[in-house]
Amino acid sequence: MDSNEADKKLQNKEYLDVFFSNMSRLREDELLVDMSVTVGGTFYDIHGFILAAVSSYFYSIMEEKKPLCTVDLEGKISARGWEAILDFAYYGTVQLHKTSTDEILLAAEFLQVPRLVAACKRFQNPSTAKTQHMTTAEADEKCETLRGIQDLYQKGIGCDVHLQVNGIMFWVHRAALAAGSDFFHGMFTSGMREAKQETINLKTLSVADLHLFIDFIYSGIIQVSWDSVFEITEAAMKYQMQSMLTLCFQFLREEMSPEFSLDVMALADAYGLQDLKCFAEDFILRNFKQVVAVPKYQDLTADQLVSFLSQDALYTTTELEVFLSVVQWINTDRKQRLSQAARVMRCVRFPLMTNRELKQILAVDFMAPSGQCYGVMKASLLSVPTGPSLISQLPCRVRFPDKVLVIIGGDSLNEDLSNRKPRKELWFAHKFITGIGLVKYIEWRELNSLPDMPRFRHGVITLDNNIYIFGGNFYYGKQDVLKTAIRYRPQENTWDTLAEMKECHSYFPVVCLDGLIYILGGNTDITNAECLNSVECYNPANNTWKYSHPLPQPLCGHAAAVCDGKIYVSGGCDSSYQCLNSFFLYDPVKNAAYLSSMNVIRAGHVMETIREKLYVAGGLGHGVCGFEDQYVCEVYSPATDSWTQFARLTQAHVVAASAVLHDELYILGGYSHDTYRDSHLVHCYNPITDRWVNLGTMPHASADIKACVVSVPHQQRQISTVHPPITARADPTVALNGCSAR
């Protein structure tokens, strides 16, 4: 399990709460305590190393190696001051009030608790004189205390048990291991003889596993890579390291790739991890063409292959790819697999192929007319019903994502192209359908309608599966820019009216970071080019707005996205309507940091985050005679501060909507500046294949539209629908004649 350059450091942020909650419970139950403190006539049984992690006074006591000692603090500090320090050590939080801060400060100074001393003095600062109470930052303090405990472990201070594996000794704190692991909690608190032994020989654990467990318990961090993750996951499951297991599952999901997807599915299947199995299966179905190229694919059993190929959600460019994957699987072991060829071939949907593709399969020897596989193909083609009344029975492949794309508002040209019409509708993409003759279709369903007025050039963000909608235009006049904000709750199908923004905003991006929502610049008036550099921050917890640090310059038509806890802003127009290629890191409290510029200038584009990289597509650039459509796409790597081009768009998408679903970038609608026509197309980019695919169309051609991804109520996805006519299909008669030996 040695780390290497490919290792990824993962931290379980919830582990701090788990660890300190368990430590508090151990103290309440008087388990594994090793020190008694007397204050105000009361005895307090505590874990010495917890106090030593925050207090130099207790650090010195633990350094002297005094086990089971009693510390007399009578008359030296008050009971209230002592209990505040206990809360600080075990919970990471102290309530500071005007009436108690002096007592707490005296106790913190006597026991040398520097972080609490600093907090008390900050509270007593004249600038906070009007503040009646203050609470220390719980998460930050717990993190610092755990670092202190880790330091004690590394120095061997306060450790009370030796764990031995194959002659290797680990000197640790018994209570810390009990708080960080169910396995060690059971060992040390359930009356087993190990609870009192000074040296414990662990015969079932390896040195590598124990080292890994101890490092995690004292830090909440693991180093993991594809070389080690399966071994670590199995060890974490075996020894009930739940918090570590959470990180393993996080890695398996976030770093999923075609190369390892079948291994992940095998692991999930072996241990009955149903959620992980479903995730891996969904990934395999969405990236089937790439999975077929992995050597592990050849090891699939016939049952496993049939299970994949028979699913509607199998995502392929053509059904011929499915046929060729079966041929590849058979040819890997023809002697054993030819007998199962006909069974597997029944999963191939021959009616989805064109006549030309059907003729291609004659090159495969076991598809000869005299063989079983030819009979399977023939039966499949002849089973297709004819007549419009039976359209719904035609074969197709259906992608049915667990979450859905939602499109909101926008505006579009009237049928006579004389003017534009703002929209109020919310639609969601229920299914993505691939039918006969490669016809692709999206089944859209109406979700709801904006409760107040139409919106375009607005901002949309999701938080806790709720859709937040801000500002934008409701018409095309001089004062038709909004500063209103609303929220839609899909599960309840209800709307909330939120506090208004401080300014009107149009043609702007919106992002969410750490539970706060940021409105970045934009226009205040559709009839002029004046841009804003102001940034407004909305706090959903108390429904309030405040200004944050401004943008480095006024911008509109720019894009923004959050990647690894940071806000990035790209392109846009300045107040003279010049398109930019600038790119910077925005911080809500300090000046922006400019990074490597994009390769091309653009505004009215989209930017989304996929796996720690930022993908930019669409929009406008400057041409010889003014603006022109921008087809070049590029991706930014924060790790190297560099841009790389990826597959060009095949159609223009200016002021389009965008979203990320299953690690794929969707760009929807917009318009073409070159033709001045709105687009109804939906294109999807897969970073693994580096290819854009046209998935179908929206309900209406729209520009200045927004999209997001949410879960919708189950009942809204159960309504029975009939697929639209798909007419470009293979002719069974022509196909069979073409494939016959005559």
Side-chain angles (χ1 to χ4, degrees):
M1 293 187 188
D2 293 338
S3 62
N4 54 53
E5 291 183 356
D7 281 2
K8 185 171 184 178
K9 181 185 286 187
L10 297 177
Q11 182 173 19
N12 188 331
K13 295 180 180 179
E14 285 74 37
Y15 174 71
L16 288 170
D17 291 335
V18 172
F19 179 87
F20 284 98
S21 175
N22 287 340
M23 283 302 313
S24 300
R25 197 170 295 113
L26 289 172
R27 182 170 73 91
E28 291 166 5
D29 295 339
E30 298 182 357
L31 293 172
L32 305 178
V33 292
D34 59 357
M35 188 177 291
S36 184
V37 177
T38 60
V39 181
T42 302
F43 283 85
Y44 296 84
D45 290 325
I46 64 167
H47 302 95
F49 68 90
I50 290 285
L51 271 296
V54 301
S55 161
S56 298
Y57 182 94
F58 282 95
Y59 186 98
S60 299
I61 294 174
M62 298 298 291
E63 207 172 18
E64 294 175 8
K65 301 180 180 178
K66 295 180 179 178
L68 302 175
C69 66
T70 299
V71 179
D72 186 0
L73 297 179
E74 292 286 1
K76 298 172 183 177
I77 61 175
S78 69
R80 182 154 62 174
W82 164 246
E83 289 178 358
I85 288 171
L86 271 183
D87 287 344
F88 185 75
Y90 278 91
Y91 300 103
T93 183
V94 171
Q95 287 280 348
L96 298 176
H97 297 267
K98 291 293 184 184
T99 57
S100 62
T101 303
D102 289 344
E103 282 185 77
I104 296 172
L105 177 58
L106 286 172
E109 288 177 332
F110 180 83
L111 296 178
Q112 303 168 54
V113 186
R115 285 185 280 130
L116 188 52
V117 169
C120 290
K121 289 184 175 180
R122 284 196 304 271
F123 182 64
Q124 291 178 333
N125 190 291
S127 64
T128 62
K130 295 181 180 180
T131 303
Q132 295 301 311
H133 61 85
M134 183 180 80
T135 304
T136 53
E138 180 179 340
D140 293 341
E141 299 302 345
K142 284 180 178 177
C143 187
E144 287 299 319
T145 302
L146 187 61
R147 286 197 189 101
I149 295 171
Q150 187 179 36
D151 179 65
L152 292 168
Y153 157 67
Q154 291 170 346
K155 294 176 180 177
I157 296 174
C159 297
D160 58 355
V161 64
H162 283 103
L163 300 181
Q164 178 175 292
V165 177
N166 295 330
I168 306 297
M169 289 285 199
F170 296 85
W171 186 221
V172 297
H173 302 96
R174 207 184 303 255
L177 266 62
S181 160
D182 290 343
F183 172 75
F184 287 112
H185 185 276
M187 177 183 292
F188 294 137
T189 65
S190 61
M192 298 170 62
R193 66 175 183 272
E194 287 87 353
K196 296 182 179 180
Q197 289 178 327
E198 290 188 4
T199 299
I200 301 171
N201 187 14
L202 300 173
K203 298 180 180 180
T204 61
L205 272 167
S206 68
V207 172
D209 283 347
L210 183 56
H211 192 279
L212 179 77
F213 294 165
I214 291 173
D215 281 353
F216 176 78
I217 287 169
Y218 282 101
S219 68
I221 296 171
I222 60 171
Q223 298 268 2
V224 65
S225 68
W226 281 114
D227 290 337
S228 62
V229 66
F230 295 105
E231 185 179 352
I232 294 173
T233 302
E234 290 175 343
M237 286 190 290
K238 182 177 180 180
Y239 292 101
Q240 306 167 58
M241 296 290 294
Q242 190 58 47
S243 294
M244 180 188 289
L245 190 60
T246 298
L247 292 182
C248 292
F249 290 160
Q250 177 186 331
F251 179 90
L252 293 172
R253 289 171 178 269
E254 292 181 355
E255 303 299 317
M256 185 78 76
S257 69
E259 182 180 359
F260 295 102
S261 56
L262 290 169
D263 295 297
V264 175
M265 184 150 179
L267 173 77
D269 204 31
Y271 288 93
L273 306 171
Q274 193 59 36
D275 288 346
L276 183 61
K277 180 180 178 181
C278 290
F279 185 89
E281 182 180 84
D282 182 69
F283 181 91
I284 292 166
L285 293 173
R286 287 187 287 110
N287 299 277
F288 185 72
K289 185 176 181 179
Q290 291 69 48
V291 172
V292 168
V294 174
K296 186 81 174 179
Y297 168 78
Q298 310 304 332
D299 298 330
L300 291 176
T301 65
D303 288 343
Q304 289 173 320
L305 187 56
V306 166
S307 176
F308 286 129
L309 299 184
S310 60
Q311 296 195 50
D312 287 346
L314 188 74
Y315 189 29
T316 62
T317 307
T318 71
E319 195 69 14
L320 181 62
E321 291 176 353
V322 180
F323 172 79
L324 293 176
S325 72
V326 175
V327 173
Q328 178 183 333
W329 180 82
I330 292 170
N331 286 338
T332 301
D333 187 0
R334 287 177 68 93
K335 184 177 180 180
Q336 295 294 325
R337 293 178 175 176
L338 269 176
S339 61
Q340 303 176 80
R343 177 191 170 207
V344 178
M345 205 64 74
R346 288 190 183 93
C347 300
V348 179
R349 302 183 183 186
F350 292 101
L352 297 183
M353 296 184 188
T354 64
N355 291 331
R356 179 177 295 180
E357 289 172 336
L358 288 169
K359 292 175 183 178
Q360 279 184 251
I361 67 175
L362 278 176
V364 179
D365 57 347
F366 53 76
M367 293 303 295
S370 59
Q372 281 186 313
C373 290
Y374 179 85
V376 169
M377 181 195 70
K378 180 178 178 180
S380 177
L381 291 170
L382 293 176
S383 68
V384 177
T386 58
S389 63
L390 297 176
I391 285 294
S392 63
Q393 300 177 36
L394 290 174
C396 61
R397 293 205 177 274
V398 180
R399 294 180 63 210
F400 189 89
D402 51 345
K403 292 190 175 182
V404 299
L405 278 174
V406 177
I407 53 175
I408 302 159
D411 70 333
S412 57
L413 285 166
N414 282 356
E415 291 184 6
D416 61 3
L417 309 184
S418 61
N419 54 41
R420 302 189 68 81
K421 176 186 177 183
R423 294 191 170 276
K424 297 181 64 173
E425 301 91 348
L426 278 70
W427 296 83
F428 73 91
H430 177 55
K431 295 178 182 177
F432 298 88
I433 302 166
T434 301
I436 291 174
L438 306 184
V439 173
K440 290 183 170 63
Y441 173 78
I442 303 173
E443 183 187 305
W444 292 95
R445 295 183 179 179
E446 193 162 357
L447 181 61
N448 207 295
S449 182
L450 295 173
D452 45 8
M453 55 186 65
R455 290 179 193 246
F456 60 98
R457 292 197 171 188
H458 48 307
V460 169
I461 198 75
T462 58
L463 178 62
D464 298 330
N465 203 54
N466 296 319
I467 302 174
Y468 290 78
I469 304 169
F470 304 99
N473 293 75
F474 68 91
Y475 206 63
Y476 306 93
K478 187 175 182 180
Q479 296 181 327
D480 291 342
V481 179
L482 299 164
K483 61 178 180 179
T484 55
I486 53 178
R487 176 175 57 206
Y488 176 61
R489 303 174 184 268
Q491 297 300 326
E492 294 83 14
N493 195 30
T494 58
W495 290 93
D496 302 314
T497 299
L498 309 178
E500 289 190 348
M501 297 183 288
K502 295 179 179 294
E503 299 179 84
C504 298
H505 292 265
S506 169
Y507 204 18
F508 64 95
V510 53
V511 296
C512 182
L513 178 65
D514 297 331
L516 300 176
I517 297 172
Y518 294 89
I519 306 297
L520 307 167
N523 289 128
T524 57
D525 193 331
I526 197 173
T527 61
N528 62 52
E530 183 181 352
C531 299
L532 295 167
N533 71 341
S534 60
V535 176
E536 297 192 42
C537 174
Y538 177 71
N539 187 339
N542 55 26
N543 190 30
T544 59
W545 291 92
K546 69 176 182 178
Y547 283 111
S548 294
H549 199 283
L551 298 174
Q553 69 178 100
L555 289 173
C556 63
H558 49 304
V562 172
C563 182
D564 193 25
K566 299 173 183 177
I567 300 173
Y568 294 85
V569 180
S570 62
C573 292
D574 58 20
S575 290
S576 61
Y577 258 63
Q578 291 296 307
C579 294
L580 308 170
N581 67 343
S582 59
F583 185 70
F584 60 87
L585 191 63
Y586 170 77
D587 191 302
V589 297
K590 61 184 181 181
N591 291 334
Y594 277 90
L595 305 168
S596 294
S597 297
M598 294 184 290
N599 293 317
V600 297
I601 60 175
R602 66 175 86 230
H605 56 293
V606 304
M607 181 167 70
E608 297 285 355
T609 302
I610 303 176
R611 294 195 176 196
E612 299 178 355
K613 291 187 178 182
L614 292 138
Y615 289 78
V616 174
L620 286 172
H622 288 303
V624 177
C625 300
F627 293 118
E628 66 179 12
D629 295 327
Q630 185 60 267
Y631 295 91
V632 174
C633 302
E634 47 192 324
V635 56
Y636 176 77
S637 170
T640 59
D641 185 28
S642 61
W643 291 90
T644 307
Q645 291 190 9
F646 62 93
R648 290 169 59 95
L649 279 168
T650 57
Q651 301 286 335
H653 288 278
V654 182
V655 290
S658 66
V660 173
L661 179 63
H662 292 159
D663 285 341
E664 292 180 313
L665 170 62
Y666 287 74
I667 187 165
L668 308 92
Y671 76 96
S672 167
H673 185 271
D674 295 343
T675 64
Y676 286 99
R677 296 297 300 268
D678 293 335
S679 173
H680 62 311
L681 298 175
V682 177
H683 284 98
C684 174
Y685 175 75
N686 187 318
I688 295 175
T689 61
D690 188 30
R691 179 178 180 180
W692 288 98
V693 176
N694 182 353
L695 296 183
T697 63
M698 300 190 301
H700 307 283
S702 296
D704 288 307
I705 192 171
K706 293 297 178 182
C708 62
V709 174
V710 294
S711 296
V712 299
H714 182 71
Q715 59 269 24
Q716 288 195 262
R717 307 196 70 178
Q718 298 305 306
I719 304 168
S720 178
T721 59
V722 177
H723 302 320
I726 301 174
T727 56
R729 65 186 182 89
D731 186 312
T733 307
V734 174
L736 289 172
N737 287 340
C739 292
S740 69
R742 290 177 294 178

